[in-house]
Amino acid sequence: MKNISKTIIITGSNKGIGYTTLKRISSRNPKFNFIMAVRSIENGEKALSELSQSVEGIKERVKIAQLDISDSKSIDNFVEWVSKNYGKVDALINNAGMAFKGDAFGADVVATTFKTNYYGTIELTEKMKNLINDNGKIVIIGSSAGKLSRLTSEELKNRFTDPNLTKEGLDLLAKEFYDRVVDNTYLEKGWPRNSYGMSKLCINTYARLLGKDEEILKRNIQVYVCCPGWCRTDMAGPNAPLSADDGAITPTYLIELPWEINKDLQGQFFYECKVASL
Ligand code: NAP
């Protein structure tokens, strides 16, 4: 492991779990190089300076690039930059995510949350797919907040777990949640009053579908989604039981798995470095 060289993109790696994941993977794998994909280059530079205090030589192994996954133009510029400067990379860690504070809820909250956590994450992944080397990896930081138990309708649960569910079908489920919030029938239809949880249920489910994608399988690309645990970051606040460093353990575990598909693990949801049910 220590001698192989890989290039890994981590989105939202200027702080929180993205940052600690960069720190953990880079300190354990001295030959790995990284692309810190961040909304603000200035914040990325500050974070990299801080990281250089604990990981020797890290500045030579990291390039910072601008990326806002809620903005298609930014995604296109980023993908073009990766293509021009690297050709291909070995792994994409989709960490960037957002949550409204408190119990903010409503159509605008759902639309904004899904724009980053679901649509933006998928748009980046789909546009990056061809730039990931054969035998590479796609890791999504999902969440246990996106479990099926959030749904009170058995019919909805069945639709999410349907083995024949397609990406288009999943998009319809995401759209249906939004529509039921707009017409205020979401509770009676079995959806919860939780935009973050639903965006994560959708992205957790997307990983399962992407893991079965013909092209992905043909190219031996591993796909995983994980919950890092409830960690003290700007998103989760100071009362969470785990540190931001703890949150890096499962994403690092997935990146350090052998670089070949294991059929039992492909597309699965991981918690505490183990496959868990959604
Ligand atoms: P955080 O400290 O708030 O960090 C979020 C990171 O995502 C920041 O770098 C942020 O950039 C970036 N980001 C947000 N929106 C973005 C966008 N549209 N485009 C690009 N980057 C964007 O949160 P965190 O707790 O580390 O969360 C990281 C991931 O873990 C998220 O996907 C989150 O849902 C997931 N997660 C966290 C917990 C937890 O307990 N903390 C639990 C389960 C899952 P800026 O600095 O520019 O805002």
XYZ file of all heavy atoms in Angstrom, residues 12-18 39-40 43 67-70 95-98 116 141-143 196 200 227-231 233-236, ligand 1:
282
model
N -14.864 19.458 -1.170
C -15.126 20.080 0.136
C -14.079 19.713 1.162
O -14.391 19.431 2.314
N -12.804 19.743 0.742
C -11.738 19.254 1.640
C -11.007 20.374 2.368
O -9.942 20.153 2.926
C -10.763 18.372 0.855
O -10.452 18.940 -0.385
N -11.590 21.571 2.382
C -10.960 22.660 3.124
C -11.304 22.631 4.611
O -10.673 23.330 5.405
C -11.373 24.024 2.535
C -12.873 24.192 2.471
O -13.524 23.474 1.722
N -13.428 25.100 3.253
N -12.316 21.860 4.981
C -12.659 21.781 6.414
C -13.444 20.497 6.698
O -13.777 19.745 5.780
C -13.457 23.007 6.840
C -14.852 23.107 6.237
C -15.585 24.320 6.820
C -17.029 24.355 6.362
N -17.787 25.478 6.901
N -13.734 20.290 7.973
C -14.586 19.175 8.379
C -14.035 17.819 7.953
O -12.818 17.586 7.939
N -14.937 16.926 7.585
C -14.566 15.534 7.292
C -13.755 15.429 5.999
O -12.872 14.569 5.884
C -15.843 14.668 7.260
C -16.408 14.579 8.688
C -15.572 13.274 6.712
C -17.859 14.183 8.775
N -14.010 16.325 5.055
C -13.205 16.324 3.824
C -11.745 16.601 4.149
O -10.830 15.934 3.629
N -14.718 25.280 -2.759
C -15.478 26.434 -3.284
C -14.622 27.683 -3.299
O -14.714 28.493 -4.207
C -16.699 26.680 -2.393
C -17.846 25.822 -2.775
C -19.122 26.422 -2.312
N -19.269 26.359 -0.866
C -20.440 26.295 -0.280
N -21.538 26.302 -1.005
N -20.528 26.234 1.026
N -13.812 27.839 -2.239
C -12.984 29.037 -2.148
C -11.504 28.644 -2.140
O -11.052 27.921 -1.247
C -13.339 29.795 -0.859
O -12.205 30.430 -0.325
N -9.766 29.630 1.055
C -9.969 28.695 2.174
C -9.167 27.410 1.965
O -8.654 26.813 2.917
C -11.453 28.355 2.338
C -12.238 29.533 2.865
O -11.662 30.499 3.367
N -13.554 29.479 2.734
N -14.240 24.386 -7.103
C -15.397 23.567 -7.468
C -16.573 23.865 -6.556
O -16.494 23.700 -5.335
C -15.057 22.062 -7.362
C -16.245 21.121 -7.594
C -16.766 21.200 -9.024
C -15.874 19.671 -7.256
N -17.652 24.303 -7.168
C -18.933 24.428 -6.450
C -19.875 23.449 -7.121
O -20.261 23.640 -8.286
C -19.458 25.871 -6.572
C -20.779 26.048 -5.824
O -21.458 25.033 -5.543
O -21.133 27.198 -5.530
N -20.238 22.385 -6.414
C -21.028 21.331 -7.071
C -22.499 21.723 -7.273
O -23.249 20.977 -7.886
C -20.925 19.964 -6.342
C -21.443 20.055 -4.903
C -19.514 19.407 -6.394
C -21.683 18.679 -4.277
N -22.867 22.901 -6.772
C -24.246 23.348 -7.047
C -24.293 24.234 -8.299
O -25.328 24.797 -8.632
C -24.822 24.101 -5.843
O -24.155 25.330 -5.668
N -17.362 14.313 -0.987
C -17.616 14.648 0.414
C -18.485 15.897 0.568
O -19.230 16.018 1.535
C -16.266 14.853 1.118
C -16.408 15.613 2.419
O -16.802 15.047 3.442
N -16.126 16.918 2.398
N -18.359 16.855 -0.375
C -19.053 18.142 -0.229
C -20.536 17.928 0.043
O -21.189 17.129 -0.624
C -18.870 18.974 -1.497
N -21.037 18.618 1.044
C -22.451 18.495 1.367
C -22.873 19.654 2.231
O -22.033 20.386 2.765
N -24.187 19.836 2.341
C -24.670 20.939 3.159
C -25.948 20.552 3.905
O -26.626 19.591 3.530
C -24.901 22.200 2.308
C -25.935 22.097 1.215
S -27.635 22.341 1.776
C -27.566 23.994 2.414
N -27.169 20.495 -3.893
C -25.796 20.093 -3.571
C -25.700 18.594 -3.286
O -24.932 17.878 -3.923
C -25.288 20.897 -2.351
O -25.141 22.260 -2.744
C -23.948 20.366 -1.848
N -19.729 10.355 0.466
C -20.026 10.507 1.892
C -21.533 10.756 2.002
O -22.026 11.857 1.741
C -19.227 11.667 2.548
C -17.733 11.580 2.191
C -19.444 11.644 4.059
C -17.006 10.322 2.613
N -22.237 9.700 2.328
C -23.689 9.780 2.516
C -23.963 10.031 3.981
O -23.206 10.737 4.652
N -25.006 9.405 4.499
C -25.280 9.588 5.929
C -26.313 8.589 6.421
O -27.238 8.217 5.692
C -25.817 10.998 6.179
O -26.174 11.137 7.536
N -32.575 17.204 4.582
C -31.215 16.639 4.581
C -31.284 15.107 4.526
O -30.615 14.470 3.702
C -30.460 17.103 5.837
C -29.086 16.502 5.982
C -28.017 16.961 5.223
C -28.840 15.451 6.883
C -26.747 16.403 5.341
C -27.579 14.889 7.011
C -26.526 15.373 6.242
O -25.286 14.814 6.358
N -29.937 12.584 1.553
C -28.943 11.531 1.807
C -29.506 10.144 1.481
O -28.780 9.278 0.995
C -28.436 11.619 3.255
C -27.544 12.840 3.509
C -26.252 12.813 2.669
C -25.286 13.929 3.010
N -24.035 13.870 2.241
N -21.398 6.450 5.859
C -21.688 7.469 6.872
C -20.436 7.600 7.720
O -19.914 6.595 8.227
C -22.860 7.041 7.756
S -23.149 8.251 9.077
N -19.923 8.813 7.897
C -18.696 8.981 8.683
C -18.950 8.924 10.186
O -17.998 8.916 10.971
C -18.236 10.392 8.282
C -19.495 11.114 7.903
C -20.416 10.076 7.323
N -20.223 8.855 10.587
C -20.585 8.970 12.000
C -20.937 10.425 12.290
O -20.696 11.314 11.472
N -21.511 10.636 13.458
C -21.949 11.989 13.839
C -20.752 12.710 14.458
O -20.321 12.377 15.568
C -23.126 11.847 14.812
C -23.761 13.141 15.192
C -23.666 14.324 14.527
C -24.595 13.381 16.331
N -24.386 15.292 15.177
C -24.968 14.746 16.280
C -25.063 12.586 17.388
C -25.780 15.320 17.266
C -25.876 13.171 18.348
C -26.228 14.515 18.284
N -20.201 13.652 13.712
C -18.893 14.237 14.053
C -18.966 15.744 14.266
O -19.727 16.432 13.591
C -17.904 13.991 12.913
S -17.753 12.270 12.450
N -18.282 18.977 13.457
C -17.835 19.822 12.345
C -18.748 21.043 12.330
O -19.704 21.111 13.112
C -17.993 19.075 10.999
O -19.395 18.812 10.806
C -17.208 17.783 10.954
N -18.481 21.969 11.414
C -19.376 23.132 11.310
C -20.802 22.681 11.022
O -21.762 23.289 11.475
C -18.897 24.082 10.201
C -17.671 24.874 10.643
O -17.310 24.790 11.847
O -17.073 25.564 9.795
N -20.932 21.600 10.237
C -22.278 21.139 9.910
C -23.000 20.587 11.136
O -24.139 20.941 11.414
C -22.234 20.048 8.824
C -23.625 19.558 8.444
S -23.609 18.162 7.331
C -23.148 18.925 5.803
N -22.353 19.706 11.868
C -23.051 18.977 12.937
C -22.961 19.674 14.298
O -23.696 19.331 15.217
C -22.510 17.560 13.035
P -18.739 20.907 6.938
O -17.731 21.025 8.006
O -19.861 21.892 6.868
O -17.971 20.854 5.538
C -18.671 20.780 4.350
C -17.714 20.930 3.208
O -18.472 20.832 1.997
C -17.029 22.296 3.194
O -15.753 22.177 2.650
C -17.923 23.086 2.245
O -17.270 24.185 1.619
C -18.230 22.006 1.226
N -19.395 22.349 0.417
C -20.654 22.624 0.819
N -21.427 22.897 -0.247
C -20.633 22.787 -1.340
C -20.826 22.951 -2.730
N -22.016 23.316 -3.231
N -19.790 22.728 -3.564
C -18.586 22.367 -3.087
N -18.312 22.233 -1.782
C -19.341 22.438 -0.930
O -19.492 19.497 6.992
P -18.956 18.025 7.353
O -19.642 17.631 8.606
O -17.493 17.930 7.244
O -19.642 17.215 6.177
C -18.918 16.552 5.155
C -19.805 15.473 4.568
O -20.119 14.505 5.580
C -21.161 15.996 4.075
O -21.521 15.333 2.890
C -22.098 15.629 5.199
O -23.425 15.525 4.758
C -21.518 14.299 5.642
N -21.879 13.883 6.988
C -21.482 14.593 8.078
C -21.829 14.146 9.344
C -21.389 14.870 10.588
O -21.801 14.454 11.694
N -20.571 15.903 10.498
C -22.573 12.952 9.514
C -22.964 12.255 8.378
C -22.596 12.715 7.123
P -17.227 25.656 2.286
O -16.155 25.644 3.327
O -16.943 26.532 1.119
O -18.591 25.902 2.883
